[in-house]
């Protein structure tokens, strides 16, 4: 593991791509820690919050097919840097809006940057792997998780110390914008094969999934529902079910993201030795068990342990599935990834909205029980994965 990380961080191009993942993680982790603030500010119940949380996936879903064209016209380098810059600028807007409807509109706008950044940065990582014969996808996703953990922990701590959320997100947005400018030169060294607009292959375009891609989507819906639920509901669960102090609300997600990151840092070696299918199946067992622990024993320590298990279990889902989708036969660079991402984001960003409605009708623990059931589907379908 140490040798692999030394190679990754000494490689200027992989380091630049990895830092984009980390910045995107910081943005998402910060948003996750601020969801209770949005809920309190507008006095939303679980169903209303779930409905508001649909705004991000709406933006992502609208933009996913368009992002393939952007990738073709601008190339991976410019598309990634532009989307990352706009994401840093747009991040603060939802927190400045005076009512729920304008917050939703701002989240849709932010979701468009999520989509393009996600597709372009994963395409960059996959292309670099193909060009130079190295494995970096799991490490890149580890950096996303590390950023998410850092963003969530710092966000929760700042709120606990009395820092106003708007002040905090403005500072985070400024740091992310500066970081994008700092990696600008290094990111220009992404190999020409990563630049889709220069590819001699078929032009990438959104298309309905093939049978092989549908198989990946089925697993991805389950893994992404788990990830999205942790991102959007872990802080609320810590606040309302566990009744932890305000300074610990974001630490549930931080524990989840920390163990996700640590597992992903070893992921490239694990996948090389065991393969994607077995790793995903064991991961599903660990994630479902951890979430069940948090449901049955809703105390601070047991919930943090349970959420940490979820992070470890779900950790290698995205690296395996994104790499596999990017290599589906018969699809141009970025197209398979964007197509799967369109459907997967229903689980990641839209699924938590459904969790909100279930929580409203029954309870939040019951809603999380539905995620455990989806984890069982994930375990079953992972046996069919050839990766």
């Amino acid at each position: 593991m140490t040798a692999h990380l030394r190679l990754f961080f000494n490689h200027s191009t992989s380091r630049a791509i990895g830092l984009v993942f980390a910045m995107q993680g910081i943005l998402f982790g910060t948003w996750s820690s601020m969801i209770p603030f949005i809920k309190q500010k507008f006095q939303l119940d679980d169903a209303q919050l779930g409905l508001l949380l649909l705004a991000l996936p709406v933006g992502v879903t609208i933009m996913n097919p368009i992002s393939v064209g952007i990738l073709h016209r601008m190339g991976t380098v410019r598309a990634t840097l532009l989307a990352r810059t706009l994401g840093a600028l747009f991040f603060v807007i939802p927190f400045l809006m005076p009512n729920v409807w304008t917050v939703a509109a701002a989240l849709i706008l932010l979701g468009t940057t999520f989509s393009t950044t996600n597709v372009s940065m994963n395409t960059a990582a996959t292309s670099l792997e193909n060009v130079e014969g190295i494995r970096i996808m799991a490490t890149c996703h580890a950096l996303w998780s590390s950023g998410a953990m850092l963003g969530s922990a710092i966000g929760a701590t700042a709120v606990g110390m009395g820092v106003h959320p708007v002040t905090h997100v403005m500072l985070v947005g400024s740091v992310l914008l500066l970081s994008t400018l700092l990696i600008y030169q290094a990111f220009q060294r992404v190999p020409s094969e990563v630049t889709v607009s220069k590819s001699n292959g078929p032009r990438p375009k959104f298309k309905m999934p093939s049978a092989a891609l549908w198989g990946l989507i089925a697993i991805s819906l389950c893994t992404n529902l788990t990830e999205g639920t942790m991102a959007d509901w872990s802080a609320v669960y810590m606040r309302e079910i566990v009744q932890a102090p305000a300074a610990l609300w974001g630490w549930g997600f931080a524990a989840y993201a920390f163990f996700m990151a640590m597992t992903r840092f070893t992921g490239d070696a694990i996948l090389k030795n065991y393969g994607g299918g077995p790793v995903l199946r064991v991961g599903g067992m660990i994630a479902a068990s951890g979430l069940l622990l948090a449901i049955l024993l809703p105390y601070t320590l047991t919930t943090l342990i349970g959420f940490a298990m979820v992070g470890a279990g779900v950790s290698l889902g995205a690296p395996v599935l994104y790499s596999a989708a990017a290599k589906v036969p018969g699809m141009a660079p970025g197209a398979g990834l964007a197509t799967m991402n369109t459907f997967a984001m229903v689980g990641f960003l839209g699924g938590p909205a459904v969790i909100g409605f279930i929580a409203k009708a029954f309870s939040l623990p019951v809603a999380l029980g539905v995620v455990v059931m989806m984890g069982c589907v994930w375990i079953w379908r992972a046996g069919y994965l050839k990766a």
Side-chain angles (χ1 to χ4, degrees):
M1 171 181 157
T2 303
H4 168 75
L5 292 180
R6 278 202 305 268
L7 177 64
F8 180 91
F9 286 107
N10 287 330
H11 192 291
S12 61
T13 308
S14 65
R15 185 172 65 242
I17 296 172
L19 286 174
V20 174
F21 276 79
M23 288 187 286
Q24 189 72 355
I26 289 173
L27 187 153
F28 198 84
T30 303
W31 160 245
S32 175
S33 70
M34 296 297 158
I35 290 174
F37 164 73
I38 295 290
K39 186 179 184 185
Q40 281 187 312
K41 179 180 179 180
F42 297 106
Q43 297 295 302
L44 305 176
D45 61 29
D46 287 344
Q48 290 169 329
L49 178 61
L51 195 59
L52 177 62
L53 294 176
L54 278 173
L56 263 175
V58 167
V60 170
T61 303
I62 290 172
M63 197 64 185
N64 260 328
I66 301 173
S67 67
V68 182
I70 292 174
L71 208 63
H72 169 69
R73 293 180 181 276
M74 298 185 66
T76 306
V77 172
R78 287 193 294 166
T80 303
L81 293 174
L82 177 61
R84 182 65 260 126
T85 300
L86 292 176
L89 292 172
F90 293 167
F91 181 47
V92 70
I93 297 177
F95 299 91
L96 300 176
M97 295 296 99
N99 57 60
V100 174
W101 294 106
T102 52
V103 171
L107 288 175
I108 291 173
L109 183 64
L110 184 61
T112 64
T113 70
F114 271 42
S115 171
T116 305
T117 304
N118 191 43
V119 171
S120 59
M121 71 186 186
N122 279 284
T123 300
T126 300
S127 298
L128 186 62
E129 287 185 328
N130 293 338
V131 171
E132 303 206 6
I134 58 177
R135 297 182 70 99
I136 68 167
M137 184 65 81
T139 304
C140 284
H141 281 266
L143 289 171
W144 185 96
S145 301
S146 299
M149 174 194 67
L150 186 64
S152 181
I154 293 176
T157 303
V159 171
M161 294 174 62
V163 178
H164 195 280
V166 174
T167 301
H168 181 69
V169 297
M170 289 183 71
L171 178 60
V172 171
S174 299
V175 171
L176 293 180
L177 183 60
L178 178 61
S179 300
T180 304
L181 295 175
L182 290 176
I183 68 164
Y184 180 83
Q185 290 299 327
F187 209 83
Q188 301 301 314
R189 293 193 289 272
V190 167
S192 59
E193 286 81 355
V194 176
T195 306
V196 178
S197 61
K198 295 181 181 180
S199 171
N200 292 323
R203 290 191 174 191
K205 60 182 179 180
F206 180 86
K207 58 193 298 185
M208 289 302 293
S210 61
L213 196 54
W214 272 123
L216 298 176
I217 288 169
I219 303 171
S220 187
L221 283 170
C222 300
T223 60
N224 276 278
L225 173 62
T226 305
E227 290 194 48
T229 298
M230 291 302 300
D232 287 356
W233 289 102
S234 59
V236 176
Y237 191 84
M238 292 292 291
R239 172 177 173 258
E240 298 183 357
I241 306 301
V242 180
Q243 297 184 347
L248 294 179
W249 292 349
W251 281 88
F253 183 77
Y256 156 84
F258 175 79
F259 278 84
M260 173 184 275
M262 292 303 100
T263 307
R264 281 177 170 175
F265 277 125
T266 65
D268 289 318
I270 292 173
L271 292 170
K272 182 178 179 181
N273 291 328
Y274 298 103
V279 167
L280 279 182
R281 174 169 283 185
V282 173
M285 295 176 183
I286 295 172
S289 299
L291 197 52
L292 195 59
L293 174 64
I295 294 169
L296 296 178
L297 297 173
Y299 307 107
T300 300
L301 180 60
T302 51
T303 299
L304 291 177
I305 292 172
F307 286 175
M309 291 174 63
V310 176
V314 80
S315 60
L316 298 181
V320 170
L321 294 168
Y322 276 117
S323 290
K327 299 170 185 174
V328 171
M331 302 192 79
L337 216 160
T339 303
M340 188 190 78
N341 195 51
T342 300
F343 291 89
M345 285 298 102
V346 173
F348 185 60
L349 296 171
V354 177
I355 295 299
F357 287 106
I358 298 173
K360 173 67 175 178
F362 300 97
S363 69
L364 188 51
V366 170
L368 295 188
V370 174
V371 182
V372 175
M373 294 174 61
M374 293 300 293
C376 295
V377 176
W378 154 15
I379 295 166
W380 166 56
R381 290 300 308 172
Y384 295 94
L385 181 66
K386 307 295 183 184

